[in-house]
Amino acid sequence: MQIQDLPYPDPGVPDARSGPRFLWWLFRNQLGGQLKSLAWGLLHFASVSALPFCVGLAIQAVVDGSGTRLALAGGVMVLCCVGNALGDTFLHRAAVTNWITAAARVQQLLAHRTALLGSALTRRVAAGEVVAVSTGDVEKIGWFVEAVSRFTAAAVTIVLVCVALVVYQPALGVVVVVGLPVLALAVLPLLPRATRRADVQRDKAGRATELASDTVAGLRVLRGIGGEELFLDRYRDASQEVRHAAVRSARMWSLISAIQVLLPGLLLIAVVWHGVHLAREGRIGVGELVTVYSSVMILTYPLRHFEEIAMAYSFSRPSAKRAARVLSLERATDSGGSRPAETPTGDLYDPATGLLAPAGRLTAVVCGDPDAAGRLAERLGGHPSEQGASALLGGVPLDELPLKSARTAVLVQDKDPVLLSGTLRELLDVPASGAVTAEDALAAAQCGDVLTALAQGSLGADDPMDARITERGRSLSGGQRQRLALARSLITDPEALVLDEPTSAVDSHTEARIAEGVRALRAGRTTVVFTSSPLLLDRADRIVFLPDEEVAAVGVHRELLQTEPRYRAVVTRETDEETAAHRNGTPAGSRPAKPLPDDRGDGPTDGRDDALSDDDVLHRLEEIEETA
C-alpha cells in the first residue's frame, strides 16, 4: 500500500482484544511495507557500520606503505557511502509510508465503527475520548508500527558488527560484545516507571480534551448562564495537570537519554584504554585499533533505536488500548441482518411500548422522560444500541434487515443533529429518493432567513447553496442549525421519518409554519415526531402519550388536553398544584394553559418557554450553578 493508494478498499477486521494484540495485527497487515523498510534499513546501517573497517584498512595501508590496499579501501568506502545514501533515502520513504498508512488504517477503522454504531458510540465512550483516539492516538500508533522495522534493522546490524569485530580483532571484539548488551539493557529497569508516567500523561491529556470538547459544544449555554469562567478555570486546572505530568514524564525520558549517552562513552573509554595497552605490546596494529574505536562510535547510532522503540511502545500502548476499546464495541444486533436487503412499507410499530405509527400519517409522540424518548426513537430506527424487542415496519423486524436497508427504510434525526463543515450544497447532498428537491425541503423547514444569513456571511458566494458552513454550524444559531438538519432529513424522503424534538430551538411563529410545511411535504409518508410542543401536536394526525415508556393514551391534541391530566401537565408545564386544582375542578390561582395558535400560525412569539414564571427561571439557574 502506497500513500497515493489511500484509502484502503477494505481496512480489515482488527484484533481489538487488547492494545498489544491490535498493534501486532497492524504490523502483520503491513508486512510488505515492513519488509521493505527492513531491507533498506539493513543497507543503511550496514553501510554506516562498514565505514570504520574501511578507515582502519586505509590507515593500516598507509602505515604499511601499500598503495593497492589503500586504493581498495577507498573503493570500498565509496561503495559504503553510496549504500548509505540510497539506504537512508529509501528507508525514510518506506518509514513515512508505513507510518501514514498505519495511521490511515486506524482512522478508517474508527470511521467505520463510528458509522456502524451511530449515536450509541457516545453513550458508551465519551466524545472527547473518540476525538483523542482519532487524532493524536493514531499518530502514536503509526509511529510504533513504523519504528519496529527500523529497530529490527538496527538490532541485526549490531549483532553483525559484534560478530565481525570478534573475527577481526578478538581481543577488543570481546570487550565490545560484552559491553553492548549492557548498554542495550541498562535502561530496562527505568522503562516501567517511564511507561507509567507516560500513561498518566495520556490519561490527563484525554480528560483535558474531553473537557475542552464538552465546553466548546456547550459554549452557548455556558454564556447564557454565565458559567464560561467556571469551566475555563476547570480547563486551566486540567491543562496544568497535563503540563505537570508531561514534565515528570520528560524527566524520566531525559534520564534514559542521558544513560544512553553516558554508557557508550564509558565503553569507548574502556576500548581505547585496553586497545592502547594491546598496541604497546604489539598485539594489534594502529589500523585495527582505529577500526574498533570507530566501530564503537558508529554503533551508538543504531543503539539509539533501542531508546526510540521503548519510547514509541510506551506512548503507543495506551493509545492502542483506547483505540482497541472503541473498535471492540459492537451493536446489539448484527449489522449484516438475516433477511435479504429490502425496503419494507407499512405501519411502524414498537412492541416494547405498544407505539403504533400508521403508514402515511403524521404521528406525534409525547414522552414523560426525554431519555426514554431518545431510546425509543433509536429503537424505531432499527438496530438499537441495547438488546430488546425489535421495531416492525410493515410487520418486518428492522433488526433482521441489513443496517443499510434499515436506515434507508427508517431515518432517525437525533435531537442534537450534527452539521459537517462545507457548503450548503454538500450538506444537502445525501442519499435520497429524488422525490423531494432541496428547494422544497428548505422551504418546508422555513430556511429562508438561514439562506440569507449564509449568503451574507460568505464572500464570493452568489448562490446561497455555495455558502460555506463552519464546523458543526457554530456560526449559526441553534434554531438555524435545527432547520438545516430538518431540511437534510426531508430531502432523503425515507419510507418512515422519525424526528426527535426537531423544533426545540425555534420560535413559535416559525414552528407553526414548519409544522404545516412538514405535514404537507410528508403527505402520504409515515412521520413520527417526538415533541411536547402544542404547535406541533395540534397539527398531528395522531398523538401517542407514553408517560412511563408504555402507551397510556391515544388521540388528538385538543381531546387529550381535556381527558388526560398527565398529558396536559407535560404539554402545558403545569405544576403539581395546578394539576391537583384541575382534578378538583378549581382552576383558580393556576396559570392558564399556553394558548393554541389558529391555522394561520398566530400565537405567542416567545415559544414554549412562556409557561415558565420568573421564579421558575431563577430557580433553574440556581440549580444549574449549584450543579456546576
Side-chain angles (χ1 to χ4, degrees):
M1 172 63 71
Q2 299 297 318
I3 296 176
Q4 62 265 24
D5 298 328
L6 293 174
Y8 286 93
D10 180 13
V13 180
D15 186 350
R17 288 176 290 177
S18 66
R21 288 178 181 271
F22 179 59
L23 291 174
W24 174 241
W25 177 85
L26 282 175
F27 180 83
R28 287 189 291 106
N29 278 268
Q30 290 190 273
L31 193 57
Q34 298 292 343
L35 292 177
K36 185 184 299 184
S37 178
L38 176 61
W40 289 117
L42 286 173
L43 176 62
H44 169 57
F45 290 122
S47 299
V48 172
S49 301
L51 286 174
F53 293 92
C54 298
V55 173
L57 289 174
I59 293 176
Q60 194 63 42
V62 172
V63 172
D64 297 339
S66 174
T68 302
R69 284 189 293 163
L70 181 61
L72 178 62
V76 175
M77 188 176 295
V78 171
L79 290 177
C80 289
C81 291
V82 173
N84 180 24
L86 289 175
D88 192 19
T89 300
F90 288 97
L91 171 62
H92 181 72
R93 286 175 57 90
V96 172
T97 299
N98 289 337
W99 190 338
I100 293 178
T101 52
R105 186 189 294 271
V106 178
Q107 285 183 323
Q108 278 189 251
L109 291 171
L110 291 170
H112 289 178
R113 185 61 52 179
T114 301
L116 182 66
L117 293 173
S119 60
L121 176 62
T122 52
R123 296 180 185 175
R124 303 184 189 180
V125 182
E129 182 173 349
V130 177
V131 172
V133 171
S134 59
T135 53
D137 284 342
V138 296
E139 295 183 5
K140 296 177 181 63
I141 293 172
W143 176 27
F144 174 75
V145 173
E146 172 273 321
V148 171
S149 56
R150 287 190 294 110
F151 165 74
T152 304
V156 172
T157 301
I158 290 174
V159 172
L160 293 176
V161 171
C162 289
V163 173
L165 287 175
V166 171
V167 173
Y168 178 72
Q169 179 45 253
L172 288 178
V174 171
V175 176
V176 177
V177 170
V178 172
L180 281 179
V182 176
L183 297 183
L185 302 177
V187 297
L188 286 182
L190 299 177
L191 289 179
R193 181 176 297 181
T195 301
R196 286 194 297 270
R197 292 189 180 186
D199 291 348
V200 171
Q201 179 191 352
R202 291 291 169 271
D203 291 340
K204 291 185 179 296
R207 286 195 293 269
T209 302
E210 293 175 18
L211 181 59
S213 176
D214 295 341
T215 301
V216 172
L219 190 58
R220 290 180 180 271
V221 177
L222 292 176
R223 286 177 175 173
I225 63 175
E228 63 269 27
E229 285 298 328
L230 173 63
F231 279 82
L232 183 59
D233 290 339
R234 289 183 178 179
Y235 181 73
R236 286 196 188 101
D237 295 339
S239 179
Q240 289 302 311
E241 290 181 4
V242 174
R243 184 178 68 85
H244 291 312
V247 169
R248 294 185 72 249
S249 179
R251 286 173 180 169
M252 185 56 63
W253 287 112
S254 64
L255 176 60
I256 293 175
S257 298
I259 293 175
Q260 291 288 315
V261 173
L262 174 63
L263 293 184
L266 296 177
L267 177 61
L268 191 61
I269 293 173
V271 169
V272 172
W273 180 82
H274 186 54
V276 169
H277 282 282
L278 294 177
R280 285 179 178 178
E281 296 173 0
R283 296 169 57 184
I284 64 171
V286 176
E288 293 173 326
L289 176 60
V290 172
T291 297
V292 177
Y293 169 79
S294 302
S295 296
V296 174
M297 288 193 63
I298 293 296
L299 284 179
T300 58
Y301 170 52
L303 275 173
R304 300 291 296 180
H305 288 75
F306 283 80
E307 176 191 351
E308 182 189 7
I309 195 66
M311 182 180 293
Y313 180 71
S314 66
F315 277 78
S316 65
R317 188 175 60 85
S319 297
K321 182 180 179 180
R322 283 197 293 265
R325 180 191 174 198
V326 175
L327 294 175
S328 65
L329 298 177
E330 298 288 346
R331 299 186 63 87
T333 55
D334 180 17
S335 60
S338 57
R339 290 175 175 264
E342 60 176 317
T343 304
T345 60
D347 297 342
L348 183 61
Y349 176 68
D350 176 47
T353 59
L355 169 65
L356 174 66
R361 302 181 67 185
L362 174 60
T363 301
V365 181
V366 179
C367 292
D369 181 6
D371 293 334
R375 292 192 295 270
L376 176 56
E378 184 183 63
R379 195 159 59 245
L380 290 177
H383 296 269
S385 58
E386 301 175 354
Q387 290 285 356
S390 172
L392 308 176
L393 181 62
V396 178
L398 290 173
D399 64 358
E400 295 182 6
L401 293 174
L403 183 59
K404 184 176 180 180
S405 299
R407 288 179 172 173
T408 301
V410 183
L411 174 67
V412 179
Q413 177 180 302
D414 295 334
K415 65 178 61 178
D416 186 21
V418 176
L419 302 183
L420 301 178
S421 60
T423 64
L424 181 58
R425 194 183 309 279
E426 293 170 341
L427 174 71
L428 301 180
D429 184 16
V430 294
S433 65
V436 179
T437 65
E439 290 75 13
D440 292 338
L442 290 169
Q446 301 298 311
C447 294
D449 63 316
V450 183
L451 297 179
T452 302
L454 287 174
Q456 292 175 349
S458 299
L459 298 177
D462 297 330
D463 187 350
M465 297 296 290
D466 295 326
R468 295 200 64 81
I469 299 174
T470 57
E471 181 186 1
R472 298 181 66 91
R474 299 194 189 282
S475 60
L476 303 173
S477 67
Q480 290 173 329
R481 289 197 298 271
Q482 276 192 336
R483 284 178 279 165
L484 284 179
L486 176 59
R488 180 178 59 186
S489 299
L490 293 174
I491 287 177
T492 61
D493 189 37
E495 179 64 29
L497 176 62
V498 180
L499 305 172
D500 190 0
E501 293 289 353
T503 59
S504 59
V506 177
D507 65 83
S508 298
H509 286 297
T510 306
E511 189 176 32
R513 292 193 294 270
I514 289 175
E516 293 294 345
V518 171
R519 181 186 177 90
L521 191 65
R522 292 286 300 171
R525 291 291 210 181
T526 306
T527 307
V528 179
V529 181
F530 287 83
T531 183
S532 59
S533 167
L535 295 168
L536 290 176
L537 296 172
D538 196 42
R539 286 161 174 76
D541 298 321
R542 190 169 184 266
I543 295 176
V544 180
F545 179 50
L546 296 91
D548 300 310
E549 300 191 44
E550 186 176 344
V551 174
V554 178
V556 294
H557 176 58
R558 298 177 187 271
E559 173 188 334
L560 291 177
L561 280 177
Q562 301 297 325
T563 60
E564 181 56 59
R566 292 179 297 175
Y567 173 82
R568 182 174 60 248
V570 172
V571 173
T572 63
R573 274 60 168 184
E574 282 185 345
T575 64
D576 294 338
E577 293 79 4
E578 291 171 335
T579 303
H582 276 291
R583 289 175 179 173
N584 297 330
T586 57
S590 63
R591 289 195 304 271
K594 179 180 176 180
L596 295 172
D598 57 26
D599 291 338
R600 295 171 300 172
D602 299 331
T605 60
D606 53 352
R608 62 182 58 86
D609 287 336
D610 62 345
L612 296 175
S613 67
D614 293 340
D615 291 337
D616 292 332
V617 174
L618 291 175
H619 181 63
R620 291 188 181 182
L621 287 175
E622 289 173 357
E623 290 180 342
I624 293 173
E625 291 175 355
E626 290 175 359
T627 303

